[in-house]
Amino acid sequence: ESYDALNPHLARTGRRYGQPFGYKFIGFFADQNDVAQSPSQFSGASLPGDAKYADINGDGVINEKDMVPIGYPTFPEVNFGLSGGMSYKGFDFSFLFQGATNVSIMIDGFMQKPGAEFGQILESVKYERWTPGSTTATRPRLTVNYANASNYMSSTLWQRDASYLRLKNVELGYNIERKALKSIGISNLKVYVNGQNLYTWDKLDIADPENGKTSDLQYPQLVIYNVGVKVSF
């Protein structure tokens, strides 16, 4: 039998374009007894607080043969937007919403490994890391130089939904009546205020979903406010 016939979950054919593969995270080892009763993780010595992965092919060992399709590609399969506007007695108003879905991002770099780059440790690590008796941890036990590399494998533990909806632009303007401007040679004058990247609804939180990167220091999208005057002669 072929390798894929023995492990059909490893097949790359018939998947969505850019389908990521990784391990299915099923929790953290609660104690040494939990470690002893679980499949060996990458032939290493696991400790309480380390990540535990599903033994997909049931051979009693967690290794590359247990990788499965996880999540969506790192680029959005669906992009969408909604724009509109209205005018009333010299006032005009417009808006633009922008968003994307069916997209996943894998947490990496200093956002994943405490102290891995620039010596940084995120404040959230204090509350999210595993500690004895923890039932709500979302990160493995804290180790020096991320000693157990199996904790940082590509897996559903670190994969995030990067879907978002952003209020990209809003503008409010007022057009001054032409009659009041004729005497000074102006055919039209508009005063306006607008804003960009005003608010984002997303599940990622740790980084800007529009940037699509969580492994380095990407400058986030700025919130921008403008006040202006447009004059036509």
Side-chain angles (χ1 to χ4, degrees):
E1 293 180 294
S2 68
Y3 188 78
D4 283 346
L6 290 171
N7 302 279
H9 50 279
L10 296 174
R12 264 54 175 177
T13 57
R15 313 288 188 188
R16 55 171 38 95
Y17 181 75
Q19 172 67 62
F21 277 71
Y23 300 94
K24 183 179 179 181
F25 170 71
I26 57 175
F28 298 107
F29 289 110
D31 49 39
Q32 203 59 51
N33 185 55
D34 190 11
V35 173
Q37 294 181 358
S38 300
S40 173
Q41 310 277 305
F42 306 100
S43 301
S46 299
L47 292 172
D50 286 337
K52 179 164 54 172
Y53 304 105
D55 184 8
I56 300 298
N57 64 358
D59 64 358
V61 177
I62 306 300
N63 55 30
E64 68 278 0
K65 295 181 181 180
D66 295 296
M67 299 182 78
V68 293
I70 56 173
Y72 292 100
T74 55
F75 56 86
E77 291 186 327
V78 179
N79 291 281
F80 55 88
L82 175 66
S83 62
M86 61 177 294
S87 298
Y88 180 73
K89 292 186 177 181
F91 289 95
D92 59 65
F93 171 76
S94 63
F95 66 87
L96 170 63
F97 284 96
Q98 170 186 303
T101 189
N102 284 22
V103 54
S104 299
I105 287 179
M106 196 69 66
I107 299 298
D108 199 0
F110 77 94
M111 294 186 182
Q112 179 195 45
K113 307 176 184 71
E117 299 173 48
F118 317 112
Q120 296 191 34
I121 299 180
L122 297 179
E123 178 70 16
S124 59
V125 171
K126 182 189 303 183
Y127 310 103
E128 297 175 2
R129 66 187 175 89
W130 181 91
T131 55
S134 173
T135 58
T136 59
T138 56
R139 291 174 177 267
R141 63 189 176 93
L142 190 60
T143 57
V144 178
N145 296 326
Y146 45 99
N148 191 344
S150 68
N151 286 332
Y152 302 102
M153 297 291 186
S154 175
S155 74
T156 54
L157 169 60
W158 301 110
Q159 191 174 58
R160 301 288 187 273
D161 181 355
S163 301
Y164 73 92
L165 173 64
R166 170 166 283 160
L167 181 54
K168 192 69 176 177
N169 188 280
V170 172
E171 181 169 303
L172 177 64
Y174 179 70
N175 294 281
I176 297 176
E177 292 185 9
R178 295 183 180 180
K179 292 179 181 180
L181 302 171
K182 282 186 177 180
S183 61
I184 55 176
I186 296 176
S187 62
N188 188 67
L189 188 149
K190 177 182 177 179
V191 293
Y192 64 88
V193 293
N194 66 34
Q196 301 175 32
N197 305 316
L198 297 178
Y199 194 82
T200 303
W201 295 265
D202 71 294
K203 299 177 181 178
L204 189 56
D205 295 330
I206 200 169
D208 186 345
E210 192 174 353
N211 276 342
K213 290 182 179 292
T214 59
S215 59
D216 52 15
L217 296 175
Q218 289 288 316
Y219 209 72
Q221 296 282 343
L222 296 177
V223 177
I224 300 173
Y225 298 98
N226 296 299
V227 178
V229 178
K230 183 178 179 181
V231 181
S232 299
F233 295 95

